[in-house]
Amino acid sequence: MSKHRDIDFFERPAAAREWQAQETALQAAREGRAPASAREAAYRRIDAAIRADDAVGLDADFAERLAAKAGPVPSSATAPEAGFEKQLTRLLLAALVLSGLGVALIEGGSWFHADPAAWSVAGNPWVIALLACLGASQGAEWLRRRLG
Amino acid sequence: MTETPADPRSDDRALVQAVLANAPGAFARLVREYQGLCWHIIQRMVRNPEDARELCQDTFLKVHQHLHQYRHESALKSWIGRVAYTVALRHLERKRIAIVDNVLGEDDDLSLLDSIGDGRDLEADCADEEMHGHLQAAIDTLPPLPRTVLTLYHLDELSIPEIAQVTGLAAGTIKSHLFRTRLKLRETLETRLGVPS
């Protein structure tokens, strides 16, 4: 079980300085600059050791063999779980609508008689807030599709 | 006339569309492009080449099966990396192998910082090859998660947010792992050289 605790670099200036030294060494190694200190040289050795183990132990024809094994890619229309998801979504929506209608039929009379002013959309801040949220959500989705 | 740099996101989109359209060779191209990343993640996590080969195959078969669910909300390499990481993690869970050590307390970090000297010129000391071998051995003994995070950051050059997307961990946690692990490796170097604390 992991009991890792994150370091708060804002509260630990010594750790923040050491982090900066680690990053400076990495940057210097990428840029081909000579190390400026013994500490930087140590971190560059560590970087070099990590980068040295870069061999990929897969066969040269791994991609081709896998593609042949995998066959055609399922689309969202043909994927088995997509059909189930659509059915379940339709079922849940239908249940929501039916239960909403049921509650309205049973309790609707008492709501109206209790406070006719509650049916006024313009005067009800909660209805306005709901409409604003729906509008923002739909607008964001439309923008996302337009911008791809 | 200046050339506009290639947009990696639009390259991702084109490749995914080609694969979903079952264009000849598209899926093989996707595998070739990301098999290195997949291997690095899985091999660093499980540390067994035979298991790693099988798990890489499992990863790409899952990618093949679920690519239609990829929503382009993250880079394709982060999405595939996430699949690889999850496959490796499940493998380790089945074998009941922990992916991190018990925590170093904050006091342990400070004592490591204090004990590591700054005046020794490691470039001058010790043969390169010998020191390199010591470091490789030390990296091999790291727990799976810090070892994988180091590899993704140093070798595959993923950013901290990208590594966070692959592993599902917070960016602060990734940064802490990088910091502690590199500090410990530096202590290993100093210890090998017999620097008194």
Side-chain angles (χ1 to χ4, degrees), chain A:
Chain A
M1 185 168 114
S2 169
K3 293 187 232 168
H4 176 93
R5 265 187 282 147
D6 290 352
I7 297 168
D8 186 341
F9 289 92
F10 288 108
E11 296 292 322
R12 313 263 309 280
R17 281 193 297 274
E18 189 72 15
W19 168 262
Q20 199 49 53
Q22 293 175 355
E23 290 298 287
T24 302
L26 182 61
Q27 194 60 32
R30 299 285 178 272
E31 292 170 3
R33 287 186 273 118
S37 66
R39 181 165 63 174
E40 191 177 310
Y43 284 123
R44 285 180 69 145
R45 280 180 179 267
I46 291 165
D47 174 61
I50 297 165
R51 289 170 75 82
D53 188 11
D54 64 349
V56 176
L58 297 169
D59 295 337
D61 62 348
F62 173 78
E64 284 70 25
R65 281 193 294 110
L66 194 55
K69 180 176 181 173
V73 176
S75 67
S76 55
T78 58
E81 72 276 7
F84 171 74
E85 276 177 16
K86 281 183 187 163
Q87 292 297 330
L88 186 60
T89 304
R90 283 186 194 133
L91 198 65
L92 289 171
L93 262 173
L96 181 67
V97 168
L98 285 172
S99 55
L101 279 174
V103 169
L105 278 170
I106 294 165
E107 301 291 336
S110 58
W111 294 340
F112 185 78
H113 286 117
D115 185 6
W119 292 99
S120 161
V121 171
N124 191 330
W126 289 110
V127 174
I128 293 168
L130 175 65
L131 290 172
C133 286
L134 282 171
S137 167
Q138 290 301 314
E141 179 63 21
W142 176 81
L143 263 176
R144 190 187 71 81
R145 287 194 185 156
R146 279 292 299 259
L147 298 174

Side-chain angles (χ1 to χ4, degrees), chain B residues 90-107:
Chain B
R90 299 250 163 87
H91 176 82
L92 292 175
E93 282 169 358
R94 280 194 298 272
K95 292 187 167 240
R96 299 182 191 278
I97 296 172
I99 63 167
V100 285
D101 267 341
N102 286 332
V103 69
L104 275 182
E106 291 188 359
D107 291 341

